């Protein structure tokens, strides 16, 4: 912190203490990229406000440390460069003295190398993340917006964080895309590209990226929109917001998470909205005026709805509707109404929640790619939550009918280097092969286990069951799973192990789950296959690159 700034602040605080006012104002002329803030979870949240030229620019809650900070957070203030930002704080202002501006984030030099930072899953630099929002491909870039609290590692101040990537594996975190405003905080939503300028926001030949999201505030949740004509770097909120206010109709505050897509056969936009007990369909020609059409009960939060070919045959398709818990129905859709034909099913469980699929993936690619939020934390870290690996969703015919499968996208392959492959190993031999990897913090292990004279078997690490297959009750890590071949004594698992998590894909993606790794574990036995007389029919071990190097 420079001395002049310190002196100004001290004078400022002195003035206030002399007249015994709790709140303090701190003017800072912005010359650098970031403001860094000291945080302590044991402090109460209090309101902080940025005012620029007499205009309220940002209001949020923050737990400013009044003593030794537990960790630091930052806010990108480059858009205020050259201007004076006056910071006011309604809490204990002892910490105001420690706020400083810099071109570096506090702790930047060890960024992505911190002890418990996942090495091949996206996490935010600082703060909290939950749902992926507005997943979209546009002009060579994949965009991932997400529910974000930049000011604390817990849920609060919901904003849209933003990261961009060329391959959905290596991400660059960008400035916050949508900040809370007087109308409320920015809840989940989706993004489209308005190629035909139906909303009138396009700039010359540049089509607008239009995001539709929920605003939570004033005792209700309404749907609003914003647009960007600079590849998602900055957004302008539409002056005619909100677009949908359905609180009274549903007698509920729970109306949220608009999922918008273009319905080509009917040449109109579709918005799927979670309203109370399920997902409603709305239609529009201009992304602004929405008309209610229908409702499917049985879902909660974060809708998605998309068409997929069955067994890769584009002439045979079905629609999939799902909600935040990753349960889904399969059915048909005519642009106005989803008609369920089977379900509800689930294909994924564990830490996954609020997953969303990408829009605007080129037709030549044609994949339906999903990213889910992993509800897990990273001990001692200044950030929380994680995004799971992007997966490709497909519909396959199984003995039970058509079902969703998910597998990590092919772009993940660049991360893995195969160090060995073996077949027909006894359990002890397989454990021996894994031994040298007990000290690595990330690994991919693919294995096919054959159970003979065993009703259960699995793979553990330091006593934590990554895979626990109970063949008599047909449970995989506690959830019902029946293999395609009912009397099969085999299970195949592809484990993606990172510092704080494990993602497990069973039988080529028929079922998947993710879990928080219990670092430390119950013992020190390392990787261990277990089960009476089992055979590891196939074992593949892969080293994993970091995405941050
Ligand atoms: C799901 C959810 C959404 C909501 C968002 C708020 O995790 O509750 O329904 O929009 O999180 O952060």
């Amino acid at each position: 912190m420079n001395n002049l700034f310190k002196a100004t602040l001290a004078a400022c605080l002195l003035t206030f203490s002399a007249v015994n006012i709790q709140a303090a104002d701190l003017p800072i002329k912005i010359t650098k990229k970031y403001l860094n803030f000291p945080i302590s979870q044991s402090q109460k949240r209090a309101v902080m406000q940025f005012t620029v030229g007499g205009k309220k620019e940002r209001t949020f809650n923050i737990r400013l440390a009044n003593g030794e900070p537990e960790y630091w957070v930052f806010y990108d203030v480059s858009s205020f460069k050259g201007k004076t930002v006056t910071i006011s704080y309604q809490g204990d202002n002892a910490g105001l003295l420690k706020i400083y501006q810099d071109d570096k984030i506090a702790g930047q030099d060890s960024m992505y190398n911190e002890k418990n930072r996942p090495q091949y899953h996206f996490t935010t630099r600082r703060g909290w993340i939950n749902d992926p929002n507005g997943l979209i491909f546009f002009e060579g870039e994949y965009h991932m917006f997400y529910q974000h609290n930049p000011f604390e590692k817990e849920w609060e101040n919901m904003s849209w964080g933003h990261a961009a990537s060329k391959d959905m594996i290596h991400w660059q975190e960008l400035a916050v895309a949508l900040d809370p405003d007087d109308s409320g905080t920015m809840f989940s939503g989706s993004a489209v590209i308005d190629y035909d300028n139906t909303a009138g926001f396009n700039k010359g030949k540049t089509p607008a990226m239009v995001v539709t999201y929920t605003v939570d505030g004033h005792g209700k949740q309404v749907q609003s929109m914003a647009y960007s004509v600079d590849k998602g770097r900055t957004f302008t909120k539409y002056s005619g917001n909100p677009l949908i206010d359905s609180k009274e109709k549903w007698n509920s505050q729970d109306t949220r998470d608009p999922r918008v897509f273009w319905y080509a056969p009917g040449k109109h936009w579709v918005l799927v909205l979670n309203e109370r007990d399920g997902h409603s369909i709305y239609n529009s020609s201009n992304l602004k005026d929405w008309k209610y059409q229908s409702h499917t009960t049985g879902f909660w939060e974060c809708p998605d709805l998309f068409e997929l070919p069955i067994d890769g045959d584009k002439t045979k398709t079905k629609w999939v509707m799902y909600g935040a818990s990753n349960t889904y129905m399969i059915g048909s859709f005519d642009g106005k109404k989803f008609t369920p034909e089977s379900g509800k099913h689930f294909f994924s469980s564990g830490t996954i929640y609020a997953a969303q699929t990408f829009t605007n993936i080129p037709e030549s690619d044609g994949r339906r790619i999903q990213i889910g939020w992993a509800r897990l934390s990273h001990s001692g870290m200044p950030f929380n939550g994680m995004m799971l690996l992007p997966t490709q969703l497909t519909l396959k015919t199984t003995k039970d009918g058509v079902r969703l499968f998910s597998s990590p996208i092919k772009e993940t392959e660049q991360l893995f280097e195969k160090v060995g492959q073996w077949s027909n190993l006894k359990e002890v031999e397989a454990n021996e092969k894994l031994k040298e990897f007990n000290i690595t913090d990330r690994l991919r292990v693919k294995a096919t286990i054959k159970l003979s004279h065993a009703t259960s078997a699995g793979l553990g690490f330091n006593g934590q069951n990554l895979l626990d297959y109970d063949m008599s009750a047909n449970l995989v890590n506690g959830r019902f799973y029946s293999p395609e071949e009912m009397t099969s004594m085999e299970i195949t698992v592809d484990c993606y192990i990172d510092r704080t998590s494990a993602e497990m894909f069973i039988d080529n993606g028929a079922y998947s789950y993710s879990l928080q790794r219990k670092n430390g574990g119950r013992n020190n036995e390392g990787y261990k296959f277990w089960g009476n007389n089992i055979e590891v029919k196939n074992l593949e071990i892969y080293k994993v690159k970091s995405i941050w190097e």
Side-chain angles (χ1 to χ4, degrees), residues 142 167-169 358 367-371 389-393 406-414 416 496 505:
Y142 298 91
D167 60 4
M168 290 175 274
I169 306 297
F358 278 87
R367 288 176 297 171
R368 181 57 59 172
I369 298 166
Q370 186 187 60
I371 292 182
L389 291 175
T391 53
Q392 181 179 359
L393 303 184
S406 74
S407 299
I409 54 168
K410 62 175 191 287
E411 287 85 341
T412 58
E413 282 162 20
Q414 61 184 301
F416 309 116
Y496 296 80
F505 292 84

Side-chain angles (χ1 to χ4, degrees), residues 130-131 147 155 158 187-188 256-257 301-302 353-354 373:
N130 55 293
D131 318 355
Q147 290 289 281
W155 188 91
M158 275 304 108
F187 273 20
S188 286
R256 60 176 175 268
D257 309 337
E301 303 187 321
C302 305
Y353 197 71
W373 164 43

